[in-house]
Amino acid sequence: MIEIDTREKPHAIVRIVEYFDKNEIPHKPKKLDVGDYRMSENPSIVIDRKQSLSELCTNLGSDKRRFMNEIRLAKDMGVKLTILCEHGGAIHELKDVANWHNPMLEKYPNAITGRDLMERMYRVHIAYDVDFLFCDKRSTGRRIAELLGIKKEE
């Protein structure tokens, strides 16, 4: 059974839950110490969903302390953490982030650039064995199921 963190906003995960329901993937809400999705049968693999690269900029910028505390907690708990970013478009893998244009640069010239964000993500990957994967919002449910070891046809 997939456990979904209770702090996930219901309106933000409608498509994900619809995918689970359509494919008869059992799921339930549960407060998770780290991440947003995990299998109750294997709590050592956890998916943390991010809505965009802009959200990751916040996580690795102004909100870095909270985010890094969660990453360290996952490592201390022996959890394999995967960050699944629903950015879509031309972002398919970590190296693509270097070419991303942060819209905040228009207003704040010192905002994080795509290259800087990619480098911060690589550092987290290397130091904490956190994987950063990418998908389109329409495929998030399927990707979460795959990453948690569930294979279903649409």
Side-chain angles (χ1 to χ4, degrees):
M1 174 170 302
I2 294 180
E3 297 173 333
I4 303 173
D5 188 63
T6 55
R7 292 165 292 190
E8 281 279 79
K9 295 175 180 75
H11 71 274
I13 63 169
V14 168
R15 280 188 174 168
I16 296 167
V17 171
E18 285 175 353
Y19 177 85
F20 294 164
D21 290 344
K22 176 182 174 190
N23 288 279
E24 300 177 355
I25 299 171
H27 56 87
K28 69 177 181 182
K30 180 172 181 162
K31 183 177 181 310
L32 302 180
D33 293 328
V34 295
D36 299 317
Y37 301 87
R38 73 176 184 194
M39 290 295 293
S40 56
E41 301 84 10
N42 185 6
S44 64
I45 298 173
V46 176
I47 312 301
D48 193 13
R49 182 184 64 85
K50 300 298 178 189
Q51 294 182 32
S52 66
L53 288 175
S54 294
E55 181 178 359
L56 274 169
C57 277
T58 301
N59 292 150
L60 290 168
S62 61
D63 200 20
K64 185 176 182 181
R65 179 178 298 220
R66 184 199 61 77
F67 185 65
M68 292 307 298
N69 284 343
E70 185 172 351
I71 287 173
R72 283 189 278 281
L73 178 60
K75 186 168 179 89
D76 291 346
M77 293 171 63
V79 166
K80 173 60 179 166
L81 184 62
T82 298
I83 308 295
L84 182 61
C85 181
E86 301 177 300
H87 196 81
I91 309 297
H92 302 285
E93 55 188 333
L94 192 48
K95 67 179 181 140
D96 297 334
V97 175
N99 298 320
W100 174 67
H101 176 75
N102 183 352
M104 295 304 290
L105 285 165
E106 307 305 319
K107 194 171 184 180
Y108 304 102
N110 292 330
I112 297 172
T113 65
R115 176 155 300 283
D116 186 34
L117 179 60
M118 179 197 69
E119 290 171 359
R120 292 177 191 204
M121 293 164 74
Y122 268 122
R123 284 195 295 271
V124 169
H125 168 69
I126 291 165
Y128 297 97
D129 192 30
V130 172
D131 291 333
F132 289 89
L133 301 177
F134 305 89
C135 68
D136 183 273
K137 290 184 189 308
R138 294 174 300 218
S139 63
T140 306
R142 179 181 52 80
R143 289 292 290 140
I144 289 170
E146 288 171 356
L147 292 167
L148 293 176
I150 299 169
K151 301 290 185 214
K152 293 282 181 179
E153 295 299 318
E154 287 194 55

